[in-house]
Amino acid sequence: MSEKAEKQQNVLWENFKVIVQALVLAMIIRTVLFQPFTIPSGSMMPTLLVGDYIFVNKFAYGYSKYSLPFSPDLFSGRIFGSEPKRGDVVVFRFPPNPDVDYIKRVIGLPGDRIQVKNDILYINGQAVPRQPHGTFASDYSQEPGDDIPVYSERLPDTGKVYDTLDLSPSSRGDNTQEYVVPPGNYFMMGDNRDNSDDSRFDVGYVPAENLIGRASVIFFSLGHDTSFREIWKWPTNMRWDRLFKVVE
């Protein structure tokens, strides 16, 4: 082999090693630290919008088999686990079909009694205070429209405040039975209360094992139904005010 060919081979080998190392590092970061997630629906409006791209903090609650790529059945439960707080926005695996990711807000902790009566959320028999907070208009073509009433809720134990949408005063989720959250499970609700498939409906209670992590920060956001691939639309449809916004 000539000296020139040998040098070219060495360069190719070094480039290959750099690529492999970068891929391994990216997989470690994605598995252990932060995972990107795209908001696919309007169920968390106005907190999260369709077209938001967020980082999910995967070490916030420890790790389960769902923290790993392809969810290998290596162990059950969680390791290095810690409890989510009421009010956290969480990505989790949909209990009826764990291949699907959902994102909702933790409303009920194990042992809590949760109910919605006449549009008002009750936790352990106490109404969660809420106040009108203006209106909301969406740039997403499918939902929910303009001038949607916004209400700020304040959780009684943590004092956490967040906004919710109220599309209708008489939707199917505005009057529910009382749910008692089983041990090791959580009750999730979307902030878009009248348009969210959550623990009031098909989602049911979410086992701790299904938690992926806590929504941390919005690192990118495109409005007006803009696809990530439509780069030429980024300058006009970028939601600049949402970049690097902390998810509350």
Side-chain angles (χ1 to χ4, degrees):
M1 179 182 296
S2 69
E3 183 177 348
K4 182 178 181 180
E6 186 175 352
K7 286 183 178 179
Q8 288 178 336
Q9 187 178 52
N10 288 338
V11 169
L12 288 173
W13 174 244
E14 290 300 320
N15 289 339
F16 175 76
K17 287 196 296 184
V18 169
I19 292 172
V20 170
Q21 290 169 355
L23 290 174
V24 170
L25 179 60
M27 182 168 290
I28 291 173
I29 291 174
R30 187 183 186 280
T31 301
V32 179
L33 300 177
F34 294 96
Q35 178 177 337
F37 185 81
T38 306
I39 303 304
S41 75
S43 71
M44 280 299 295
M45 291 179 178
T47 305
L48 294 170
L49 310 180
V50 176
D52 282 348
Y53 294 77
I54 66 173
F55 281 126
V56 175
N57 181 340
K58 298 188 73 172
F59 59 85
Y61 310 131
Y63 307 95
S64 73
K65 65 181 181 181
Y66 296 121
S67 303
L68 306 175
F70 310 111
S71 306
D73 198 10
L74 300 178
F75 59 94
S76 60
R78 306 193 73 82
I79 58 175
F80 310 115
S82 59
E83 299 293 324
K85 296 179 181 178
R86 193 192 318 278
D88 284 358
V89 178
V90 174
V91 173
F92 59 92
R93 294 294 178 91
F94 180 45
N97 180 6
D99 291 332
V100 178
D101 292 333
Y102 268 45
I103 183 166
K104 305 291 178 186
R105 191 179 296 277
V106 178
I107 294 297
L109 304 177
D112 281 344
R113 294 178 289 112
I114 306 296
Q115 188 172 17
V116 181
K117 295 188 292 185
N118 298 321
D119 230 9
I120 303 297
L121 172 64
Y122 286 76
I123 300 176
N124 296 323
Q126 293 188 344
V128 174
R130 74 170 192 168
Q131 295 292 332
H133 194 206
T135 60
F136 174 79
S138 172
D139 62 22
Y140 180 48
S141 64
Q142 297 185 35
E143 60 177 330
D146 298 326
D147 299 324
I148 305 303
V150 177
Y151 290 88
S152 289
E153 288 185 348
R154 180 183 294 273
L155 294 176
D157 46 356
T158 66
K160 189 176 184 69
V161 178
Y162 52 88
D163 285 342
T164 65
L165 297 186
D166 189 10
L167 302 176
S168 168
S170 58
S171 72
R172 65 178 184 139
D174 286 337
N175 284 281
T176 72
Q177 67 183 75
E178 183 177 76
Y179 302 91
V180 180
V181 186
N185 286 261
Y186 298 91
F187 194 93
M188 308 290 190
M189 293 180 68
D191 291 348
N192 188 354
R193 289 290 168 76
D194 296 325
N195 197 6
S196 173
D197 184 12
D198 50 40
S199 291
R200 294 170 293 174
F201 311 115
D202 294 343
V203 172
Y205 305 115
V206 177
E209 185 178 52
N210 287 48
L211 304 183
I212 300 297
R214 184 179 68 237
S216 175
V217 64
I218 301 167
F219 66 89
F220 195 75
S221 185
L222 292 170
H224 302 284
D225 302 3
T226 304
S227 167
F228 187 83
R229 296 186 297 272
E230 296 175 314
I231 298 176
W232 62 93
K233 294 183 179 180
W234 287 10
T236 54
N237 292 339
M238 183 80 71
R239 300 185 185 113
W240 298 101
D241 60 328
R242 297 184 67 77
L243 301 189
F244 307 109
K245 182 179 180 179
V246 175
V247 179
E248 299 287 354

